[in-house]
Amino acid sequence: MSMTMASGPAKDRTVAAALGRRRKRADLIVRSLSYAATAIGLVFLASILVTLFYKGFGAMNLSVFTEVTRPPGSQGGLLNAIVGSLMQVGLATLIGTPIGMLVGTYLAEYARGSAFGNAVRFVSDILLSAPSILIGLFVYQLLVLPFGGFSGWAGVAALSIIIIPIVVRTTEDMLALIPNTLREAVIGLGAPKWKMIVLVCWRSATSGIITGVLLGIARIAGETAPLLFTSLGNNAWSTDLTGPMPSLPITIYSYAGSPFQDWIELAWAGALLITLAVLALNILARSVLRRRT
C-alpha cells in the first residue's frame, strides 16, 4: 500500500526575505540598545571607581591604621572606626548566621507547602528588601529609647536583622538543591531526621551557605542608616558596646560633608577601605561557589 506525503504550502521567497530583513533590523536595534545601556553603566561605574581609588589612595597612609580620629588639623586616623566596625559586623554575623541557618533549614526541611512556612518565607522576603533605615528606626524604638541612649549593642542588633534574611534565603535555596533521593537513602538506613540534616544536608550545602554569609557580611559592612539610629558614632577610642560606638560608615558620613580638608581625605580613605573589603568578600564568595560547582 503506497502512502503519499501531503505537501505544505509553497514558500514565498519574497515574503521570507522581507521577514528575514525585519528580524535582522529588530535584532540590530535590540543589540545596539543593549550595548549602549551596558556602555553607559560601565562608564558611570568606572568613573566612580576611578575617583574613589584616586582620592582614596592619595589619602591612604600609615596613620589611617594607627591613629584614632582627632580634631581638624591634627592628622588623625581611622583606627577606632575600623575596630568599631569590625566588632559590630563580627558580632552581628555571629548572631545572625545561626538564626538564619536554622530558619532556612526549617523552611527547606520541615515547612514545605505549609501555611506557616509560607508566612515565614514571606516575612523573610520583606525583610530582605526592606530599606535599612526602617530597621534602624525599629531598633531605635526597641533598644535605644527604652534604655536611655545609643549603644553598640543596638547597632549589632540592627545589623543582625539585616543579615538574617540573606542567610535564610541562601540556606533554603542551597538545601533545596539537594536531591530527595539522598535524604531518602539516609532515612532508609535508620538515621533520624536531625542527623540527616546536620551530617548530610548541611555538609553538602556548606559552600553555598558560606557564600551567602560572606555576601551578607559585604551587605552590612557599608550600612550607615541603621547605625545612625543605634550606635550613633564616637570620635574617641571605644570598645564599650553599652555606649555610642564608632564605625567606618558613620565616620565617612560625618567627615565627607565637613569643611575640613583632612577630614574629607579621611572620608575618602575610609570609603576605599570599605570598597576593598566588600570587593574581597565578593571575590571570596565567588571562589567558594566556583569550587563547589
Side-chain angles (χ1 to χ4, degrees):
M1 181 177 180
S2 61
M3 298 181 62
T4 59
M5 298 294 293
S7 60
K11 181 178 180 181
D12 192 331
R13 297 184 180 273
T14 305
V15 175
L19 290 175
R21 288 193 297 269
R22 189 170 67 179
R23 293 191 190 99
K24 289 181 179 179
R25 285 196 299 268
D27 178 72
L28 179 61
I29 292 173
V30 173
R31 188 180 301 180
S32 301
L33 291 175
S34 300
Y35 287 156
T38 303
I40 292 173
L42 289 177
V43 166
F44 281 114
L45 178 61
S47 62
I48 293 173
L49 291 178
V50 168
T51 303
L52 176 62
F53 277 83
Y54 175 74
K55 293 184 176 293
F57 276 120
M60 197 72 68
N61 53 60
L62 185 60
S63 62
V64 171
F65 303 95
T66 58
E67 300 288 340
V68 299
T69 52
R70 300 186 186 279
S74 302
Q75 300 299 321
L78 297 172
L79 178 60
N80 55 330
I82 294 173
V83 172
S85 284
L86 290 176
M87 290 181 62
Q88 293 178 80
V89 171
L91 288 173
T93 304
L94 291 177
I95 294 173
T97 298
I99 296 176
M101 283 186 59
L102 292 175
V103 174
T105 302
Y106 169 76
L107 294 177
E109 302 294 337
Y110 294 98
R112 292 186 180 182
S114 67
F116 182 72
N118 292 332
V120 173
R121 188 179 295 107
F122 179 72
V123 172
S124 176
D125 291 340
I126 291 177
L127 286 176
L128 187 63
S129 57
S132 59
I133 192 171
L134 297 181
I135 296 175
L137 286 171
F138 169 74
V139 178
Y140 176 80
Q141 293 289 334
L142 186 67
L143 295 179
V144 175
L145 288 181
F147 292 94
F150 301 95
S151 67
W153 283 117
V156 170
L159 297 181
S160 299
I161 294 175
I162 294 175
I163 198 175
I164 284 174
I166 301 175
V167 180
V168 169
R169 171 55 64 86
T170 306
T171 302
E172 183 184 5
D173 290 344
M174 291 300 105
L175 292 177
L177 295 176
I178 299 175
N180 287 327
T181 53
L182 183 61
R183 295 181 174 89
E184 294 170 357
V186 177
I187 295 296
L189 292 174
K193 188 168 184 177
W194 70 266
K195 186 172 290 188
M196 178 267 294
I197 294 173
V198 173
L199 298 181
V200 177
C201 294
W202 279 5
R203 183 173 297 181
S204 302
T206 298
S207 299
I209 296 174
I210 292 176
T211 301
V213 173
L214 293 176
L215 293 176
I217 295 173
R219 162 77 187 277
I220 65 176
E223 287 291 348
T224 305
L227 298 182
L228 283 172
F229 293 94
T230 52
S231 61
L232 185 63
N234 190 348
N235 287 333
W237 173 265
S238 175
T239 56
D240 183 12
L241 290 167
T242 60
M245 198 168 192
S247 62
L248 269 177
I250 296 297
T251 303
I252 295 170
Y253 172 80
S254 302
Y255 283 15
S258 70
F260 308 109
Q261 185 60 32
D262 55 340
W263 277 15
I264 295 175
E265 292 178 355
L266 282 177
W268 281 110
L272 179 61
L273 286 177
I274 290 181
T275 303
L276 292 177
V278 172
L279 178 63
L281 286 173
N282 277 276
I283 293 175
L284 181 59
R286 289 181 179 274
S287 63
V288 170
L289 186 60
R290 186 179 298 112
R291 191 180 305 118
R292 175 182 178 274
T293 55

